[in-house]
Amino acid sequence: MLTLSAKLKTASIVAIAMASFAATPVLAEDITLWTLNFDNNAANGALKKVATDFEAANPGTHVEIVQRAVDEHKTALRVAAGSDKGPDIYFSWAGLGLGGEYVKAGLSLPLDKYYSEYKWNDELLPSAAAFADLYPGGKHGVPFTFKGEAVYYNKKLFEQAGIKEEPKTYEELLAAADKLKAAGIPAFTFGGTVNWHVMRLMDVILETKCGAEKHDALKAMTLDWTKEPCATDAFAEFAKWTKDYTLQPFMGIDNKQSYSLFTAGRAAMMLEGDWLVSQLNGSGANLDDYGIFPFPTNTERLYGFAEYNYISTKSKNPDTAAKFLDYFLSTKVQQDLLGQLSSTSVNKNVQYANQKPLEAEWLGIFQKYGKVYMNGDQAFPLDVTTEYFRVINDVASGNTEPAEAAKQLQTFIASRT
C-alpha cells in the first residue's frame, strides 16, 4: 500500500504529465510528404529547407518529410493504397504506367479545384503540366521536375554530309540520315546493352507512325498491337533504323560508351535528355559544335518524362497539402531551387542567368510544347516494360520480325488480364 507521501508524489507526476499533454497543441494542419531519398544531397537539403520555410510562413503547420529508397517507397505507396492511412502528399513518376498505378488504385486525389484556385497553369511550363491531364477523372498531381528528350547533333558532321538545316519533319530526318549514310557517317548512336536507351528510338517511331491518339492507346493497352497496323509498321521502321542508320554494332555497348562515341565524332546524332548539356560542358566539349532539335514526329508533341507530387486521398488536410504545393511551385521558391533539383524549373516565370546557348534552346523548347508523350518505361506497368524491352532488343538484333514482335507483346499484355 502506498504511503500518503507516495500517493501525493504519484498524483503530482500524473498532474504534471496531464498538464504537459494539455499544453502541447495538436496540430490540425500537420502534413506528411513521402518522397525519395535522392542521390543528389543538394536536392534533399533543398526540399527540407522548403518545408522549414513553409512552416515559418504558416505558424501552426508542420511538414514531415519521409524519405525512402525507390523500392521501399513504391512498396509503402502500394500498402497505403490498400489501407485507410497514408501520406498527405507523395512523390511518383508521372505517366500512365508508374504514376497511373496509384491513380487507378484510388490513392491520388483529383486536383482540378486547386489548379483553378491557385492558377497553376499560369505558372507552370506547359510541357511539365501536361502530365496532369493524362489520367481519367480529372487532373492528378503537380510537377516536381520535368525532363525533355530531343536530338543532339554534331554540326560538323551535318556539314560534312551536306545537311544545311535541322530536320523539321520526319521525312526531312530520313533524308538527312540517307545523306549521312552516303557520307559514311552513322546517323545515330545508342547503347543497346541498356534497355531504356534503345527504347527511345522505338518510342519516337511509334509516335511518328501511329500518331498521338493511337500511340497513347497502344501504351495504355486499350488497342490491340496485332490489330493496329501502325504498330507493326513502327517495328518495321525501327528495324530499318537499327540496320541502316545506327552506329554498329550498338547492341554491344552501353549508354556511356555511346556518349563517348558521339563526342568522338563517330556518329552524327544522339537522342538524349536536357541533362546532356551539363554533361557535355563538364567533359570539356565545345558546346558550339552541337545543336538540338525535337525528334520530328509530325505530331507537335515533345518526348519526355516527369516526376510529380500527388495529394493522397488519405490526407486529412488536403487544403494544407495544396497550399504547400502552391508554395513549392511559386516563382520565388522555384527561383531559389534552380540548379538544386534540376537545371530547368517547372515554373515558366523563373529567370535564368548566364545561360549557355543550348540551355536557352532547351528552355525555348519547353515553353513551346504544351503536349507530351512519354518514355515507354514510364507509360507501361513494370512487367509490360520488361517485355517491351525484350521484344525491342530481339527486333534490333534481327531475331524477331516486326509482325511477330507486335504479336509477342500483345500476347503478354493479354496474359495479364
Coordinates of all heavy atoms in Angstrom, one line a residue, residues 21-85:
F21 N 0.7 17.4 -21.5 CA -0.1 16.9 -22.6 C -1.1 18.0 -23.1 O -1.2 18.3 -24.3 CB -0.8 15.6 -22.3 CG -1.6 15.1 -23.5 CD1 -1.0 14.4 -24.5 CD2 -3.0 15.3 -23.5 CE1 -1.8 13.9 -25.6 CE2 -3.7 14.8 -24.6 CZ -3.1 14.1 -25.6
A22 N -1.8 18.6 -22.1 CA -2.8 19.6 -22.4 C -2.1 20.8 -23.0 O -2.7 21.5 -23.9 CB -3.6 20.0 -21.2
A23 N -0.9 21.1 -22.6 CA -0.2 22.3 -23.1 C 0.4 22.1 -24.5 O 0.8 23.0 -25.1 CB 0.9 22.7 -22.1
T24 N 0.5 20.8 -24.9 CA 1.0 20.5 -26.2 C -0.1 20.6 -27.2 O -1.0 19.7 -27.2 CB 1.7 19.2 -26.3 OG1 2.7 19.1 -25.2 CG2 2.3 18.9 -27.6
P25 N -0.1 21.5 -28.1 CA -1.2 21.6 -29.1 C -1.2 20.5 -30.1 O -0.1 20.1 -30.5 CB -1.0 23.0 -29.8 CG 0.5 23.2 -29.6 CD 0.9 22.6 -28.3
V26 N -2.3 20.0 -30.4 CA -2.5 19.0 -31.5 C -2.6 19.8 -32.8 O -3.6 20.5 -33.0 CB -3.7 18.1 -31.3 CG1 -3.8 17.1 -32.5 CG2 -3.6 17.4 -30.0
L27 N -1.6 19.7 -33.6 CA -1.5 20.5 -34.8 C -2.5 19.9 -35.9 O -2.2 18.9 -36.5 CB -0.1 20.5 -35.4 CG 0.9 21.2 -34.4 CD1 2.3 21.2 -35.1 CD2 0.5 22.6 -34.1
A28 N -3.6 20.6 -36.1 CA -4.6 20.1 -37.0 C -4.1 20.3 -38.5 O -4.7 19.7 -39.4 CB -5.9 20.9 -36.8
E29 N -3.0 21.1 -38.7 CA -2.6 21.3 -40.0 C -1.3 20.6 -40.3 O -0.5 21.0 -41.2 CB -2.4 22.8 -40.2 CG -3.7 23.6 -40.1 CD -4.8 23.1 -41.0 OE1 -4.5 22.9 -42.1 OE2 -5.9 23.0 -40.5
D30 N -1.0 19.5 -39.6 CA 0.2 18.7 -40.0 C 0.0 18.0 -41.3 O -1.1 17.6 -41.6 CB 0.4 17.6 -38.9 CG 1.0 18.1 -37.6 OD1 1.2 19.4 -37.5 OD2 1.4 17.3 -36.8
I31 N 1.1 18.0 -42.1 CA 1.0 17.2 -43.4 C 2.3 16.4 -43.5 O 3.4 16.8 -43.0 CB 0.8 18.1 -44.6 CG1 1.9 19.2 -44.7 CG2 -0.5 18.8 -44.7 CD1 1.9 19.9 -46.0
T32 N 2.2 15.3 -44.1 CA 3.3 14.4 -44.3 C 3.6 14.2 -45.8 O 2.7 14.0 -46.6 CB 3.0 13.0 -43.7 OG1 2.8 13.2 -42.3 CG2 4.2 12.1 -43.9
L33 N 4.8 14.3 -46.2 CA 5.3 14.2 -47.6 C 6.1 12.9 -47.7 O 7.2 12.8 -47.0 CB 6.1 15.4 -48.1 CG 6.9 15.2 -49.4 CD1 6.0 15.0 -50.6 CD2 7.7 16.5 -49.6
W34 N 5.7 12.0 -48.5 CA 6.5 10.8 -48.8 C 7.2 11.0 -50.1 O 6.6 11.3 -51.1 CB 5.7 9.5 -48.9 CG 5.1 9.0 -47.6 CD1 5.2 9.6 -46.3 CD2 4.3 7.8 -47.4 NE1 4.6 8.8 -45.4 CE2 4.0 7.7 -46.0 CE3 3.9 6.8 -48.3 CZ2 3.3 6.7 -45.5 CZ3 3.1 5.8 -47.7 CH2 2.9 5.7 -46.4
T35 N 8.6 10.9 -50.0 CA 9.3 11.1 -51.3 C 10.6 10.2 -51.2 O 10.8 9.4 -50.3 CB 9.7 12.6 -51.4 OG1 10.3 12.8 -52.7 CG2 10.7 13.0 -50.3
L36 N 11.4 10.4 -52.2 CA 12.6 9.6 -52.3 C 13.8 10.2 -51.5 O 13.8 11.4 -51.3 CB 13.1 9.5 -53.8 CG 12.2 8.8 -54.8 CD1 12.8 8.7 -56.2 CD2 11.8 7.4 -54.3
N37 N 14.7 9.4 -51.2 CA 16.0 9.8 -50.6 C 16.9 10.0 -51.9 O 17.4 9.0 -52.4 CB 16.6 8.8 -49.7 CG 17.8 9.3 -49.0 OD1 18.1 10.5 -49.1 ND2 18.5 8.4 -48.3
F38 N 16.9 11.2 -52.4 CA 17.6 11.5 -53.6 C 19.1 11.3 -53.6 O 19.7 11.6 -52.5 CB 17.3 12.9 -54.1 CG 15.8 13.1 -54.4 CD1 15.0 13.7 -53.5 CD2 15.2 12.6 -55.5 CE1 13.6 13.9 -53.7 CE2 13.8 12.7 -55.8 CZ 13.1 13.4 -54.8
D39 N 19.7 10.8 -54.7 CA 21.2 10.7 -54.7 C 21.9 12.0 -54.6 O 23.0 12.1 -54.1 CB 21.6 10.0 -56.0 CG 21.1 8.5 -56.1 OD1 20.9 7.9 -55.0 OD2 20.9 8.0 -57.2
N40 N 21.2 13.0 -55.1 CA 21.7 14.4 -55.0 C 21.4 15.0 -53.6 O 20.3 15.3 -53.3 CB 21.1 15.2 -56.1 CG 21.5 16.7 -56.1 OD1 22.4 17.1 -55.3 ND2 20.9 17.5 -56.9
N41 N 22.4 15.1 -52.8 CA 22.2 15.6 -51.4 C 21.7 17.1 -51.4 O 21.0 17.5 -50.5 CB 23.5 15.5 -50.6 CG 23.8 14.1 -50.2 OD1 22.8 13.3 -49.9 ND2 25.0 13.7 -50.1
A42 N 22.1 17.8 -52.5 CA 21.6 19.2 -52.6 C 20.1 19.2 -52.7 O 19.4 20.1 -52.1 CB 22.2 19.9 -53.8
A43 N 19.5 18.2 -53.4 CA 18.1 18.1 -53.5 C 17.4 17.8 -52.2 O 16.4 18.4 -51.8 CB 17.7 17.1 -54.6
N44 N 18.0 16.9 -51.4 CA 17.5 16.5 -50.1 C 17.5 17.7 -49.2 O 16.5 18.0 -48.5 CB 18.3 15.4 -49.5 CG 18.2 14.1 -50.3 OD1 17.1 13.8 -50.8 ND2 19.2 13.4 -50.4
G45 N 18.6 18.5 -49.2 CA 18.7 19.6 -48.3 C 17.7 20.7 -48.7 O 17.1 21.4 -47.9
A46 N 17.6 20.9 -50.0 CA 16.7 22.0 -50.6 C 15.3 21.7 -50.2 O 14.5 22.6 -49.9 CB 16.9 22.1 -52.1
L47 N 14.9 20.4 -50.3 CA 13.5 20.1 -50.0 C 13.1 20.3 -48.6 O 12.1 20.8 -48.2 CB 13.2 18.6 -50.4 CG 11.8 18.1 -50.5 CD1 11.0 19.0 -51.5 CD2 11.8 16.6 -50.9
K48 N 14.1 20.0 -47.7 CA 13.9 20.2 -46.2 C 13.8 21.7 -45.9 O 13.0 22.1 -45.0 CB 15.0 19.5 -45.5 CG 14.9 18.0 -45.5 CD 16.1 17.4 -44.8 CE 16.0 15.8 -45.0 NZ 17.2 15.2 -44.4
K49 N 14.6 22.5 -46.6 CA 14.5 23.9 -46.4 C 13.2 24.5 -46.8 O 12.6 25.4 -46.2 CB 15.6 24.7 -47.1 CG 15.7 26.2 -46.9 CD 16.8 26.8 -47.6 CE 16.9 28.3 -47.2 NZ 15.7 29.1 -47.5
V50 N 12.6 24.0 -48.0 CA 11.3 24.4 -48.4 C 10.3 24.2 -47.3 O 9.4 25.0 -47.0 CB 10.9 23.7 -49.7 CG1 9.4 24.0 -50.1 CG2 11.8 24.2 -50.9
A51 N 10.3 23.0 -46.7 CA 9.4 22.6 -45.7 C 9.5 23.5 -44.5 O 8.5 24.0 -43.9 CB 9.6 21.2 -45.2
T52 N 10.8 23.8 -44.1 CA 11.0 24.7 -42.9 C 10.5 26.1 -43.2 O 9.9 26.7 -42.3 CB 12.5 24.7 -42.6 OG1 13.0 23.4 -42.3 CG2 12.8 25.6 -41.4
D53 N 10.8 26.6 -44.4 CA 10.3 27.9 -44.7 C 8.8 28.0 -44.8 O 8.2 29.0 -44.4 CB 11.0 28.4 -46.1 CG 12.5 28.6 -46.0 OD1 13.0 28.6 -44.8 OD2 13.1 28.7 -47.0
F54 N 8.2 27.0 -45.3 CA 6.7 27.0 -45.3 C 6.1 27.0 -43.9 O 5.1 27.7 -43.6 CB 6.2 25.7 -46.1 CG 4.7 25.6 -46.1 CD1 4.0 26.3 -47.0 CD2 4.1 24.7 -45.3 CE1 2.6 26.2 -47.1 CE2 2.7 24.5 -45.4 CZ 2.0 25.3 -46.3
E55 N 6.7 26.2 -43.0 CA 6.3 26.2 -41.6 C 6.4 27.6 -41.0 O 5.5 28.1 -40.3 CB 7.1 25.2 -40.8 CG 6.8 23.8 -41.2 CD 7.8 22.8 -40.5 OE1 8.9 23.3 -40.0 OE2 7.5 21.6 -40.5
A56 N 7.5 28.3 -41.3 CA 7.7 29.7 -40.8 C 6.7 30.6 -41.3 O 6.2 31.5 -40.6 CB 9.1 30.1 -41.1
A57 N 6.3 30.4 -42.6 CA 5.3 31.3 -43.2 C 3.9 31.0 -42.8 O 2.9 31.7 -43.0 CB 5.4 31.3 -44.7
N58 N 3.7 29.8 -42.2 CA 2.4 29.3 -41.8 C 2.4 28.7 -40.4 O 2.5 27.5 -40.2 CB 1.9 28.2 -42.8 CG 1.7 28.7 -44.2 OD1 0.6 29.2 -44.5 ND2 2.7 28.6 -45.0
P59 N 2.5 29.6 -39.4 CA 2.6 29.1 -38.0 C 1.5 28.1 -37.6 O 0.3 28.3 -38.0 CB 2.4 30.4 -37.2 CG 2.9 31.5 -38.1 CD 2.4 31.1 -39.5
G60 N 1.9 27.1 -36.9 CA 0.9 26.1 -36.5 C 0.9 24.9 -37.5 O 0.1 24.0 -37.3
T61 N 1.6 25.0 -38.6 CA 1.7 24.0 -39.6 C 3.0 23.2 -39.5 O 4.1 23.9 -39.4 CB 1.5 24.5 -41.0 OG1 0.2 25.1 -41.0 CG2 1.5 23.4 -42.0
H62 N 3.0 21.9 -39.6 CA 4.2 21.2 -39.5 C 4.3 20.2 -40.7 O 3.3 19.6 -41.1 CB 4.4 20.3 -38.3 CG 5.5 19.4 -38.2 ND1 6.8 19.9 -38.2 CD2 5.6 18.0 -38.3 CE1 7.7 18.8 -38.2 NE2 6.9 17.7 -38.2
V63 N 5.4 20.2 -41.4 CA 5.6 19.3 -42.6 C 6.6 18.3 -42.3 O 7.8 18.6 -42.0 CB 6.1 20.1 -43.8 CG1 6.2 19.2 -45.0 CG2 5.1 21.3 -44.2
E64 N 6.2 17.0 -42.3 CA 7.1 15.9 -42.0 C 7.4 15.3 -43.3 O 6.6 14.9 -44.1 CB 6.4 14.9 -41.1 CG 7.3 13.7 -40.8 CD 6.6 12.5 -40.1 OE1 5.4 12.6 -39.9 OE2 7.3 11.6 -39.8
I65 N 8.7 15.2 -43.6 CA 9.2 14.6 -44.8 C 9.8 13.2 -44.5 O 10.7 13.0 -43.7 CB 10.3 15.4 -45.5 CG1 9.8 16.8 -45.8 CG2 10.9 14.7 -46.7 CD1 10.8 17.7 -46.4
V66 N 9.2 12.2 -45.2 CA 9.6 10.8 -45.0 C 10.3 10.4 -46.3 O 9.6 10.3 -47.4 CB 8.4 9.9 -44.7 CG1 8.9 8.4 -44.6 CG2 7.7 10.3 -43.4
Q67 N 11.6 10.1 -46.2 CA 12.3 9.7 -47.5 C 12.7 8.2 -47.4 O 13.2 7.7 -46.4 CB 13.6 10.6 -47.6 CG 13.2 12.1 -47.8 CD 14.5 12.9 -48.0 OE1 15.1 13.3 -47.0 NE2 14.9 13.2 -49.2
R68 N 12.6 7.6 -48.5 CA 12.9 6.2 -48.7 C 13.6 5.9 -50.0 O 13.6 6.7 -50.9 CB 11.7 5.3 -48.6 CG 10.8 5.4 -47.4 CD 9.6 4.5 -47.5 NE 8.8 4.4 -46.3 CZ 7.7 5.2 -46.1 NH1 7.3 6.1 -47.0 NH2 7.0 5.1 -45.0
A69 N 14.3 4.7 -50.1 CA 14.9 4.3 -51.3 C 13.7 4.0 -52.3 O 12.6 3.8 -51.9 CB 15.7 3.1 -51.1
V70 N 14.0 3.9 -53.6 CA 13.0 3.7 -54.6 C 12.1 2.5 -54.3 O 10.8 2.7 -54.3 CB 13.6 3.6 -56.0 CG1 12.6 3.2 -57.0 CG2 14.4 4.8 -56.4
D71 N 12.6 1.3 -54.1 CA 11.8 0.2 -54.0 C 10.9 0.3 -52.7 O 9.7 -0.1 -52.7 CB 12.6 -1.1 -53.9 CG 13.2 -1.4 -55.3 OD1 12.7 -0.9 -56.3 OD2 14.2 -2.2 -55.4
E72 N 11.5 0.7 -51.6 CA 10.8 0.9 -50.4 C 9.7 1.9 -50.5 O 8.6 1.7 -49.9 CB 11.7 1.3 -49.2 CG 12.7 0.2 -48.8 CD 13.8 -0.1 -49.7 OE1 14.0 0.7 -50.6 OE2 14.6 -1.0 -49.4
H73 N 9.9 3.0 -51.3 CA 8.9 4.0 -51.5 C 7.7 3.4 -52.2 O 6.6 3.6 -51.9 CB 9.5 5.1 -52.3 CG 8.6 6.3 -52.6 ND1 8.1 7.1 -51.7 CD2 8.1 6.7 -53.8 CE1 7.3 8.0 -52.2 NE2 7.3 7.7 -53.5
K74 N 8.0 2.7 -53.3 CA 6.9 2.1 -54.1 C 6.1 1.1 -53.2 O 4.9 1.0 -53.3 CB 7.5 1.3 -55.3 CG 8.1 2.2 -56.4 CD 8.6 1.4 -57.5 CE 9.2 2.3 -58.6 NZ 9.8 1.5 -59.7
T75 N 6.8 0.3 -52.4 CA 6.1 -0.6 -51.5 C 5.2 0.1 -50.6 O 4.0 -0.3 -50.3 CB 7.1 -1.5 -50.8 OG1 7.9 -2.3 -51.7 CG2 6.4 -2.5 -49.8
A76 N 5.7 1.2 -50.0 CA 4.9 1.9 -49.0 C 3.7 2.5 -49.6 O 2.6 2.5 -49.0 CB 5.8 3.0 -48.4
L77 N 3.8 3.0 -50.9 CA 2.6 3.5 -51.6 C 1.6 2.4 -51.9 O 0.4 2.7 -51.8 CB 3.1 4.2 -52.9 CG 3.9 5.5 -52.7 CD1 4.3 6.1 -54.1 CD2 3.0 6.6 -52.0
R78 N 2.1 1.3 -52.3 CA 1.1 0.2 -52.5 C 0.3 -0.2 -51.3 O -0.9 -0.5 -51.3 CB 1.8 -1.0 -53.1 CG 2.4 -0.8 -54.5 CD 2.9 -2.0 -55.2 NE 3.5 -1.7 -56.5 CZ 4.8 -1.7 -56.7 NH1 5.7 -2.0 -55.8 NH2 5.3 -1.4 -57.9
V79 N 1.0 -0.2 -50.2 CA 0.4 -0.6 -48.9 C -0.6 0.5 -48.5 O -1.8 0.2 -48.1 CB 1.4 -0.7 -47.8 CG1 0.7 -0.8 -46.4 CG2 2.3 -1.9 -48.0
A80 N -0.2 1.8 -48.7 CA -1.1 2.9 -48.4 C -2.4 2.9 -49.3 O -3.5 3.2 -48.8 CB -0.4 4.2 -48.6
A81 N -2.2 2.5 -50.5 CA -3.4 2.4 -51.5 C -4.4 1.4 -51.0 O -5.6 1.6 -51.3 CB -2.9 2.1 -52.9
G82 N -4.0 0.4 -50.3 CA -4.9 -0.6 -49.8 C -5.3 -0.5 -48.4 O -6.0 -1.4 -47.8
S83 N -5.0 0.7 -47.8 CA -5.4 0.9 -46.4 C -6.1 2.2 -46.2 O -6.3 2.9 -47.2 CB -4.1 0.9 -45.5 OG -3.3 2.0 -45.7
D84 N -6.4 2.5 -44.9 CA -7.1 3.8 -44.7 C -6.2 4.9 -44.2 O -6.6 5.9 -43.8 CB -8.2 3.6 -43.7 CG -7.7 3.1 -42.3 OD1 -6.5 2.8 -42.2 OD2 -8.6 3.0 -41.4
K85 N -4.9 4.6 -44.2 CA -3.9 5.6 -43.8 C -2.8 5.8 -44.9 O -2.5 4.9 -45.7 CB -3.2 5.1 -42.5 CG -4.1 5.0 -41.3 CD -3.4 4.6 -40.1 CE -4.3 4.5 -38.9 NZ -3.6 4.1 -37.6

